Amino acid sequence: EMKHDLKHHYQLIENMVIHDEKDEADIYVRKAQDELEQAQYRWTGSYAIDALILAKSMAMKQHHIEFRFDPYPLSSVPIPETDFCTILGNILDNAIEGICRADSLGEERKIIQLSISRSKDMLYLYCTNPCDSNTIFENSDGWISSKPNRKKTSYGVGIRSIQHIVEKADGRSEFKVGNNVFSVKIVLPYLSEDERI
């Protein structure tokens, strides 16, 4: 439904730009933004991060997954916003895939919990989701996953991407699986300009 609506928005804006109706396109975009804000799709105040969360929450809805996330204002993030979106997108994609692979989960257990908070000069990101612990393993090559009775396949591309970005930012990442729960903890420091050089 969301993808269908966005396609129509895109086609209308494209048509306006082609016909040199840039003022009308600008008005249309502003109106669409206002409608999104009124619909309370603003969780952090960052358009890029909120758009990502919205897209992932719509994907969760398609899989009948409940999304629990309390809005948290982000006036800034300690790394480039594109890197932060890469981290968050990979975490949420892995959570959705983990739930979808766990065939034995009842509807009441399909819950992804995400929290973002800041304490002084540190940004914390936590995410948990139910999973089938018997299908996810960590070895020297990284994380491996499979459905029951199927060949193990690589699962760690997204995780390696997260780890690379976090390490580059002098942060910490932690991934755990146990008791049929997969959890992620990311800690990112707000570095001073001198420290970034």
Side-chain angles (χ1 to χ4, degrees):
E1 184 181 339
M2 179 68 179
K3 187 176 179 181
H4 181 265
D5 291 345
L6 285 175
K7 181 180 176 183
H8 286 295
H9 287 310
Y10 174 77
Q11 287 172 340
L12 280 168
I13 294 167
E14 183 181 42
N15 191 45
M16 290 177 192
V17 171
I18 289 171
H19 292 93
D20 203 28
E21 298 172 352
K22 293 179 182 171
D23 290 340
E24 289 83 354
D26 185 54
I27 291 167
Y28 185 85
V29 169
R30 288 177 190 274
K31 185 178 176 185
Q33 286 176 338
D34 289 343
E35 287 174 1
L36 276 176
E37 288 176 17
Q38 289 170 9
Q40 296 185 354
Y41 288 131
R42 299 208 50 197
W43 291 279
T44 67
S46 159
Y47 284 111
I49 296 169
D50 288 344
L52 174 68
I53 292 173
L54 176 60
K56 299 305 178 187
S57 67
M58 296 302 287
M60 292 176 208
K61 191 173 181 181
Q62 289 179 340
H63 293 287
H64 308 288
I65 298 170
E66 182 182 345
F67 184 42
R68 295 182 183 172
F69 174 59
D70 292 325
Y72 187 83
L74 290 173
S75 57
S76 67
V77 287
I79 58 177
E81 201 169 53
T82 52
D83 285 348
F84 189 83
C85 286
T86 298
I87 289 173
L88 187 56
N90 277 315
I91 287 172
L92 294 177
D93 282 345
N94 284 345
I96 293 168
E97 290 168 16
I99 288 176
C100 290
R101 277 198 316 274
D103 298 328
S104 61
L105 288 177
E107 292 297 318
E108 72 281 356
R109 293 193 55 219
K110 292 184 175 181
I111 300 168
I112 294 174
Q113 294 183 295
L114 173 69
S115 67
I116 300 174
S117 61
R118 179 174 179 173
S119 178
K120 298 184 180 177
D121 291 331
M122 304 297 281
L123 185 72
Y124 297 89
L125 193 155
Y126 299 94
C127 187
T128 61
N129 63 273
C131 67
D132 183 346
S133 295
N134 295 319
T135 66
I136 304 173
F137 309 90
E138 184 180 18
N139 64 21
S140 59
D141 295 326
W143 290 90
I144 306 293
S145 71
S146 69
K147 284 193 174 184
N149 303 319
R150 292 194 189 172
K151 184 179 177 182
K152 294 179 178 61
T153 56
S154 176
Y155 179 62
V157 176
I159 290 177
R160 283 195 296 273
S161 176
I162 293 168
Q163 290 171 325
H164 174 73
I165 293 169
V166 171
E167 286 170 11
K168 191 172 67 172
D170 293 329
R172 296 190 320 270
S173 60
E174 184 179 281
F175 305 87
K176 289 184 179 178
V177 62
N179 298 320
N180 292 325
V181 174
F182 191 82
S183 63
V184 181
K185 176 182 178 182
I186 306 292
V187 182
L188 295 166
Y190 283 86
L191 301 178
S192 68
E193 289 302 317
D194 292 339
E195 291 172 306
R196 289 185 190 280
I197 297 173

